[in-house]
Every structure is written in C-alpha cells, then in structure tokens.
C-alpha cells in the first residue's frame, strides 16, 4: 500500500503550466503555450478586477500555438489572458443521486444549484467495449409502444436510429418510451434543441413519471459547438457508469445530426477541409466512436435510441447514411402518416430491427411477417383501390389486405398516454394477424 502511494506521489506533476492568449478568431482561441495535449482542459483566467475562470479544451495546434475552444461563450477575453493547463481531459460526476435531475453539457445542474455529493468521477471520452467482450443481444426489452414491441422488437443492448424530418413526432415518441420502457434508468440527451423546448420536453413529453427514472442532459442550440458535443459525450459516459453497475440503461439522444453539425463547426474552425456536403473528415471519425460506446458489455447493457434529423426528408444524406450503417436498425417516421393523424408515424415497411429474428418466437415472427405482407399488398394496390379501378375478387391477396386495413391502422395507432405491455402487444398481433385466423 505504501509503495503504491509513493508511486502515485512520484507521478504528480509539481509544476503548473501557463500560456497567454495571442488572438481570437471566430470560435477559436490561440495561445502561446502552455505545454499541453489535445483533449486536455485548460482554465482561462479572465478579467483584471473581477476575475473569473472559464474552462476551455485543447482542440489542436497551429505551428507553436495552442488552439482552444471554450465551453461557454466568452466576450471579455483579451490579449495576454492567462491560460492554465490542468493536465487532464474533462471528467464529470455520476451516481444514483443524478436520477430525476436536468444537467448541462458538462454534468452540472442546469438550474444553477450546487453540485450533488456522493458522486463518482468518470471520464467523458472512453473507448468502446472490446468486440469480443460484448455479449450477444438475446432478449427483448419492453418499449411500451405497440408497433415497436410487436413489429420492430428491440433487444436489450441494441442500438436503433429514429430517422425523421422536423415536426414528425420524434420528441413525443422519446418521451413515451422514457415513461413506458422497463429499463432501470433512462439517460436522455437533448443536443442542439431550442431553449424553449427543453422545459416543454421535461414537463409535457417526459412528465413527472418519466423524470423520476431519468437523467436529462441538455445542451441548447445557442451554446458553443464544444458544449453540444460534450453533452453527447457526457450522456454516454453517465449511461456507461450505470451499465457498469449491472443496470439496464435506456440511452436516448436527440439528435445525432446536431452533434455532427457541432463537430463540423469545430473542424472548419481549426482548418479541416469540408468534404462530403460540407462535413469535415472528423465528423465521420466521431460518429462511430460515439455510437459504438453503447450496447452490451459483461456487466450490463445500454439500449440506445438515436434520432437523426434528415434535411428535407432526404433519408440518404451523408449523416443519415453513415448512422444507418453503424446502428443495429432504423425506424423511419413518415410525414404523410403524421399528416393523416397516425401516431406514432412509423413507416413499418421501411423500418427494420436487425436483431428481431434472433430474440422473438417463431409465431411472433410469422405474425409480424404476415402483417408486413398485408400492409405492403395494400400500399401497392392503394391507388387502384382509391380510384375504384380494383374489382373485388380479382386477387385473393388484395381482398385480404383490404379487409384487414382498418384493423392494421388501429393496431399501429397509439395514444401518447397509452401504455401497451410487450406481452399484450405480441398476443394481439398473433391473435389478429396469424394467417387463417
């Protein structure tokens, strides 16, 4: 024990390293010194009379200058401002006491109250679990949304993307899942949201029932790009902490697109070339590192749901395409279905859960396939049916689809405050849509 203590003392750096700000260009602060590393946190000592300390992170170097990006907006910085290196990257604190709270992007209470005690420091930048140490996804997790639990069953430890344009019901669906799922704890990251929508999500979509088993991390659109990225990393780190305690964690992030946009801002500021549709190479490096951190490990599981905001409802734009290739399934929210008043506006035919065949019974899988077949048949013949060009009896398959139409729509619709258990959803699917019944 004594030798370990001596080793720890010998590793402590007895020196503080300082530098001075030389210029500020856009989002970036340049300083001469200190000796530091990329990812380290530095303190900016701002002001002469009324001094305050602002955190910034080292994001790169240019010649002999250090490039820093602050966690908050800085307006009163001046040439010669002192820069102090902390010698370590950002750490946040996690623990059970956080459940029921709303935090900012670096883990501090958003209401300005004092940080809680009894928490444990955890780094925000962790490596994804070793691929060989990830147990297979073998059992379903209850989401509480009938269409998902029955037709797009999610496994415990699976990672899913919800792809949609703006105003199609992503936030409402996330709040519904947070209230109804049977996960032990929810970690919800609101990245790049409008400031107005944070309280609205907490009080309306999440509600008291959902907040009592959730931790919300909010980094709004007016905050610096670095804070928005840290919000995503902080939420993931908190979810990892609870996973390592052996819990089943539901991680929800709205949205990955805004994380990518924040990384693009940083990349352009430090001189990266814009490549695919203006996104810098670091964006496509960050996404797999972030998304692969969720999932299973030997201790627990993080079931992750990431929303992807698709511009102009283009589901093949670069970020949507990249995220879809990383995750274990994708759910498409359809604006046309939302306009018809169907909630959730899930396009079942274009959505897929890649682990569903491995975690459900044969009867369940058969009924789900039959439902999809009926829905697909009706959609293909819908134009003919609507204009009266189809004659009953022409096709037995289309006749069956027409007869089942109202039943299918009723099955897919669910009120926001309605809870449907996974057992009830599966039994109803098998009862109504097993062929011949």
């Amino acid at each position: 024990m004594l030798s370990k203590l001596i080793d720890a003392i010998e590793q402590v750096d007895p020196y503080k390293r300082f530098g001075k700000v030389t210029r500020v260009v856009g989002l970036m602060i340049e300083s001469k010194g200190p000796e530091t590393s990329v990812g380290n946190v530095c303190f900016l000592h701002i002001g002469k009379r009324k001094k305050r300390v602002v955190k910034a992170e080292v994001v790169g170097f240019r010649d002999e200058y250090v490039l820093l990006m602050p966690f908050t907006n800085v307006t009163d910085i001046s040439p010669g401002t002192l820069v102090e290196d902390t010698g370590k990257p950002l750490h946040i604190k996690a623990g059970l006491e956080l459940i029921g709270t709303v935090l900012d992007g670096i883990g501090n209470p958003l209401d300005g109250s004092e940080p809680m005690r009894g928490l444990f420091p955890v780094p925000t930048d962790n490596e994804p679990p070793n691929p060989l140490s990830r147990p297979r996804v073998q059992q379903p997790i209850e989401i509480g949304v009938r269409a998902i639990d029955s037709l797009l069953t999610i496994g415990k430890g699976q990672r899913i993307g919800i792809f949609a344009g703006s105003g199609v019901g992503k936030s409402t669906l996330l709040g519904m899942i947070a209230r109804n799922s049977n996960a032990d704890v929810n970690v919800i990251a609101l990245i790049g949201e409008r400031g107005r929508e944070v309280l609205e999500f907490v009080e309306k979509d999440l509600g008291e029932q959902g907040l009592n088993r959730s931790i919300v991390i909010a980094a709004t659109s007016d905050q610096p790009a670095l804070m928005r990225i840290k919000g995503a990393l902080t939420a993931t780190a908190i979810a990892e902490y609870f996973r390592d305690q052996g819990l089943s964690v539901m991680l929800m992030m709205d949205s990955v697109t805004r994380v990518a946009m924040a990384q693009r801002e940083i990349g352009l500021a430090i001189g990266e070339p814009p490549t695919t549709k203006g996104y810098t190479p670091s964006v496509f490096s960050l996404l797999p590192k972030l998304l692969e951190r969720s999932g299973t490990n030997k201790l627990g599981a993080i079931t992750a749901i990431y929303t992807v905001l698709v511009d102009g409802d283009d589901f093949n734009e670069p970020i949507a395409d990249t995220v879809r290739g990383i995750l274990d399934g994708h759910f498409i929210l359809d604006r046309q279905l939302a306009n018809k008043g169907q909630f959730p506006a899930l396009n079942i035919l274009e959505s897929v859960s890649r682990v569903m065949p491995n975690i459900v019974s044969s009867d369940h899988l058969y009924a789900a396939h039959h439902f999809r077949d009926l829905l697909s048949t009706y959609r293909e013949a819908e134009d003919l049916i609507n204009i009266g060009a189809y004659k009953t009896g022409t096709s037995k398959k289309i006749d069956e689809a027409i007869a089942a139409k109202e039943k299918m729509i009723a099955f897919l619709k669910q009120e926001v405050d309605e809870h449907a258990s996974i057992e009830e959803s599966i039994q109803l699917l098998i009862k109504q849509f097993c062929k011949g019944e």
Side-chain angles (χ1 to χ4, degrees):
M1 190 70 181
L2 183 59
S3 62
K4 288 183 180 179
L5 187 60
I6 293 171
D7 289 341
I9 293 171
E10 288 177 348
Q11 290 175 12
V12 171
D13 189 350
Y15 297 99
K16 283 189 176 182
R17 290 171 169 78
F18 294 91
K20 288 187 176 181
V21 170
T22 56
R23 68 171 183 163
V24 177
V25 182
L27 307 173
M28 202 62 55
I29 298 170
E30 277 191 17
S31 72
K32 183 78 172 180
E35 183 185 335
T36 185
S37 303
V38 171
N40 278 9
V41 173
C42 291
F43 293 145
L44 303 176
H45 296 271
I46 296 174
K48 294 181 179 178
R49 294 182 180 177
K50 194 175 181 181
K51 290 191 175 182
R52 63 192 181 96
V53 175
V54 172
K55 285 183 179 179
E57 184 174 293
V58 180
V59 294
F61 303 97
R62 183 177 291 130
D63 299 327
E64 70 271 24
Y65 294 97
V66 178
L67 303 181
L68 300 147
M69 186 165 279
F71 288 103
T72 58
N73 292 311
V74 180
T75 55
D76 49 354
I77 194 169
S78 59
T81 294
L82 208 60
V83 180
E84 178 187 351
D85 177 43
T86 64
K88 57 185 180 182
L90 179 69
H91 280 62
I92 52 112
K93 292 190 174 182
L96 291 172
E97 290 78 6
L98 291 180
I99 296 175
T101 62
V102 182
L103 310 175
D104 65 12
I106 53 176
N108 298 318
L110 195 58
D111 60 5
S113 60
E114 289 294 319
M116 284 163 282
R117 297 181 179 180
L119 303 177
F120 302 92
V122 293
T124 56
D125 288 302
N126 293 315
E127 290 297 318
N130 186 302
L132 296 181
S133 70
R134 288 181 181 268
R136 291 173 55 199
V137 177
Q138 293 181 314
Q139 63 182 101
I141 186 170
E142 181 176 306
I143 298 299
V145 179
R146 184 165 49 246
I148 295 176
D149 282 338
S150 58
L151 299 168
L152 299 163
T153 311
I154 296 176
K156 188 179 290 186
Q158 187 176 353
R159 300 161 305 140
I160 287 288
I162 296 179
F163 295 73
S166 57
V168 190
K170 296 186 305 298
S171 297
T172 305
L173 181 58
L174 289 184
M176 194 173 175
I177 293 171
R179 293 192 305 273
N180 295 340
S181 79
N182 63 358
D184 297 319
V185 61
N186 302 311
V187 180
I188 305 169
L190 304 177
I191 310 299
E193 287 286 338
R194 304 173 188 88
R196 170 187 65 82
E197 292 180 336
V198 174
L199 186 61
E200 185 177 320
F201 176 82
V202 171
E203 292 184 350
K204 180 186 171 186
D205 296 327
L206 193 58
E208 186 178 352
Q209 175 191 347
L211 185 60
N212 288 338
R213 50 201 298 268
S214 303
I215 302 164
V216 179
I217 295 91
T220 52
S221 58
D222 60 297
Q223 293 184 310
L226 185 63
M227 188 63 116
R228 281 174 267 149
I229 292 175
K230 289 301 177 186
L233 297 176
T234 294
T236 306
I238 292 173
E240 288 171 330
Y241 169 82
F242 286 111
R243 176 179 64 186
D244 291 343
Q245 306 304 307
L247 300 179
S248 172
V249 185
M250 179 69 72
L251 171 64
M252 289 174 275
M253 190 175 295
D254 184 15
S255 70
V256 172
T257 307
R258 293 191 177 113
V259 176
M261 289 177 174
Q263 182 61 40
R264 178 175 62 182
E265 286 182 40
I266 294 176
L268 293 173
I270 63 176
E272 277 191 83
T275 51
T276 310
K277 289 198 174 180
Y279 288 100
T280 57
S282 61
V283 172
F284 301 100
S285 171
L286 172 70
L287 288 176
K289 288 180 181 177
L290 174 66
L291 303 180
E292 287 287 354
R293 286 172 60 180
S294 53
T296 59
N297 71 0
K298 292 180 179 178
L299 301 172
I302 299 173
T303 306
I305 298 177
Y306 301 96
T307 69
V308 181
L309 184 63
V310 289
D311 294 329
D313 291 344
D314 177 13
F315 294 94
N316 294 313
E317 57 93 22
I319 299 304
D321 203 39
T322 301
V323 172
R324 189 165 51 239
I326 296 169
L327 299 179
D328 308 318
H330 54 272
F331 296 168
I332 304 295
L333 297 188
D334 193 318
R335 191 176 299 278
Q336 290 185 346
L337 295 177
N339 291 340
K340 291 177 182 177
Q342 180 176 316
F343 179 83
L346 275 166
N347 188 325
I348 298 298
L349 299 179
E350 293 187 15
S351 304
V352 65
S353 171
R354 290 179 183 155
V355 305
M356 180 179 173
N358 303 324
I359 59 174
V360 300
S361 68
S362 57
D363 287 347
H364 178 184
L365 193 62
Y366 178 83
H369 285 329
H370 186 55
F371 185 103
R372 281 174 172 268
D373 189 37
L374 286 173
L375 188 59
S376 176
T377 300
Y378 186 83
R379 291 274 172 87
E380 288 172 2
E382 190 169 14
D383 290 340
L384 292 175
I385 296 167
N386 289 339
I387 64 174
Y390 175 75
K391 293 183 179 180
T392 305
T394 305
S395 168
K396 185 179 178 182
K397 194 173 182 181
I398 295 177
D399 289 344
E400 185 184 359
I402 293 172
K405 177 200 168 187
E406 296 302 326
K407 195 163 56 172
M408 288 189 289
I409 292 175
F411 184 86
L412 293 173
K413 280 186 176 181
Q414 186 171 339
E415 295 297 327
V416 174
D417 56 356
E418 178 187 351
H419 175 261
S421 72
I422 188 169
E423 292 84 7
E424 292 171 352
S425 300
I426 294 169
Q427 287 172 8
L428 184 62
L429 176 73
I430 293 172
K431 180 180 178 181
Q432 292 189 346
F433 298 101
C434 261
K435 200 169 184 179
E437 294 193 10

